[in-house]
Amino acid sequence: MTPITQFLGKLTDSLANGTFVRLVLTDEEKALGRLVELKGAPHLSVTFQHATKDVTKNLPVTEAVAWVEQRLADKRCGALLGTTARDWQLVIPARGKPRLIAHKPDATTAPPRSHDLPKQTLLDDSARDWLDGLDVLRSAMADKRRQIDRYLEILSHLAADCGWTGDAPLTIADMGCGKGYLTFGAWHLFHRVRGWPVRIIGVEARPDLVETTNKLARRIDAKGLEFVAGTIKSATLPPLDALIALHACDTATDDAIRRGIELGAKLIVVAPCCHKEVRPQLAHPEPLAPVLAHGIMAERMAEWVTDGLRALHLEAAGYQTKVFEFVSSEHTPKNLMIAAIRTGQPTGREQLERFREFFGIRHHALD
C-alpha cells in the first residue's frame, strides 16, 4: 500500500468515525478543509487561500475523498490530515518517493461542525459590567464594540511579540484616553482574560471624564485600573512597559511617542488623528510635482510623510516598527496604527535624513 493510499484511507476513516479535525493541501495555492453540516448532511468545506480573496468549495463527504485523491494526483501537492488521535503528514517530493509521517495530534477534540463558526471574541460575558457602564451594549454602539474587540486582538498579539508572559507586573499608560473605552479594554485583557498583574493608567485632560471613569472603575472593583488628570506632556507617570495613544491630534501623537521613549516603554502604540505640522513644509520633488500640485494629493502625501517620519524616528530610537490598518476605513478614515517594540538597536538614521531632505522637512516635533 502506497503512502498516498494510506493517507486517503486515514482521511476516509476520520470522516466516517468523527475524529476528523482538519485537512491542509499545499501546492501553488493553499487549501484548508473542515467538516461541516450543510442541509443535514456532512460536507468537506475547502477554502482556497489567494492573495486577494478566498474561494470556498463544499463537497459532500461521499465525493470528498475522490476529489482529494484527484488533486494529489494532478497537483502533486503535500497534505496534512489532522485527527483527534494522530496527525498525518503526506510528503510528495519533486524527486523521490512519497512519505507518510505520523505526528502527535494538534487537537484532541473535534471542532464544531456548524457551517458558520461563532466568531471568537475577547469581550466575553465578564466584560459586560464595564461595557454596560460605558453604554457600549446598545445596538447603536455595535461599531464601537467591534473596534474595542479588534484593538484587544491587536494588543494581545503585540504583547506576545514583546515576550510578556505575566511573570512580572506590567505598567501601561493610555494617553488621552477620553471616555476610557480602550483603557478598560486593556485592563480587561490583561487582568481578567490573562490573569496577569497589571497597572493600567488612563490619562485624560478633562477632569469630568476622569471622575466618571474612576467612578466606574471603583464600581466594578477594577483593581489595577486608575484614571488621572493631565496631558500627554504634563502627566506624572512611572517607568512604563507600554504607552498607548490613539487618535491624539497633530503633534500630540509625537508628544506621546517622545514620552514613551523617555519612560523606557517596551511597547509604543499610536493611532494618529490629524496631521498639520508637515503640510506647510512639504516640497514637491520630481517626479511627484505634477501629482502634488493637486491639493488633495498633497494633503494625503503630507499624512503619509508624517506617519512615515514617525516610524523612522522610532527605528532611529531603537524600536522595531509596524504600520498597519487599525479598523476598516468604512468606520473611520483615520485608521492607521503604528506599533513599535523596543529592541535597543537604533537603525535608519541616514534613511530618516534622506527622507526629510527629499520632502523638504526642515523641522519636526520629534527632532
Side-chain angles (χ1 to χ4, degrees), residues 157-175:
H157 289 303
L158 291 173
D161 292 342
C162 288
W164 295 335
T165 61
D167 293 337
L170 294 176
T171 303
I172 300 172
D174 184 7
M175 313 300 287

Side-chain angles (χ1 to χ4, degrees), residues 50 83 95 223 231-232 267 283 288 328 332:
H50 301 283
T83 76
R95 297 180 180 179
K223 292 182 174 62
T231 66
I232 291 174
L267 174 66
L288 300 177
S328 172
T332 172

Side-chain angles (χ1 to χ4, degrees), residues 260-280:
I261 295 171
E262 291 171 350
L263 293 168
K266 172 73 173 179
L267 174 66
I268 297 174
V269 183
V270 297
C273 183
C274 53
H275 308 69
K276 298 177 182 178
E277 184 188 27
V278 166
R279 178 68 178 87

Side-chain angles (χ1 to χ4, degrees), residues 25-31 48-50 55 71 75 77:
L25 302 174
T26 54
D27 49 26
E28 69 275 6
E29 59 180 358
K30 188 175 182 180
F48 300 92
Q49 296 183 333
H50 301 283
V55 177
R71 191 168 180 87
K75 301 287 187 178
C77 59

Side-chain angles (χ1 to χ4, degrees), residues 158 162 164 241-245 253 256-270 314 317 319-322 337-342:
L158 291 173
C162 288
W164 295 335
D241 294 288
L243 182 141
I244 299 163
T253 293
I257 290 172
R258 184 185 301 105
R259 291 222 66 184
I261 295 171
E262 291 171 350
L263 293 168
K266 172 73 173 179
L267 174 66
I268 297 174
V269 183
V270 297
L314 280 161
Y319 286 76
Q320 183 181 44
T321 61
K322 300 178 182 180
M337 179 173 279
I338 303 172
I341 297 174
R342 181 165 47 82

Side-chain angles (χ1 to χ4, degrees), residues 38-39 126 149 186 191 193 204 207 221 249 267 283 286 333:
L38 287 176
K39 296 181 179 179
S126 67
D149 197 39
H191 179 78
V193 177
E204 172 53 46
D221 194 25
C249 288
L267 174 66
E286 294 293 344

Side-chain angles (χ1 to χ4, degrees), residues 16-45:
N17 60 26
T19 60
F20 179 91
V21 174
R22 63 176 178 143
L23 175 69
V24 182
L25 302 174
T26 54
D27 49 26
E28 69 275 6
E29 59 180 358
K30 188 175 182 180
L32 306 178
R34 61 189 182 97
L35 189 59
V36 301
E37 289 285 335
L38 287 176
K39 296 181 179 179
H43 285 67
L44 183 67
S45 181

Side-chain angles (χ1 to χ4, degrees), residues 3-17:
I4 293 178
T5 303
Q6 287 180 294
F7 180 85
L8 294 170
K10 304 291 186 187
L11 175 60
T12 302
D13 291 343
S14 67
L15 290 171
N17 60 26

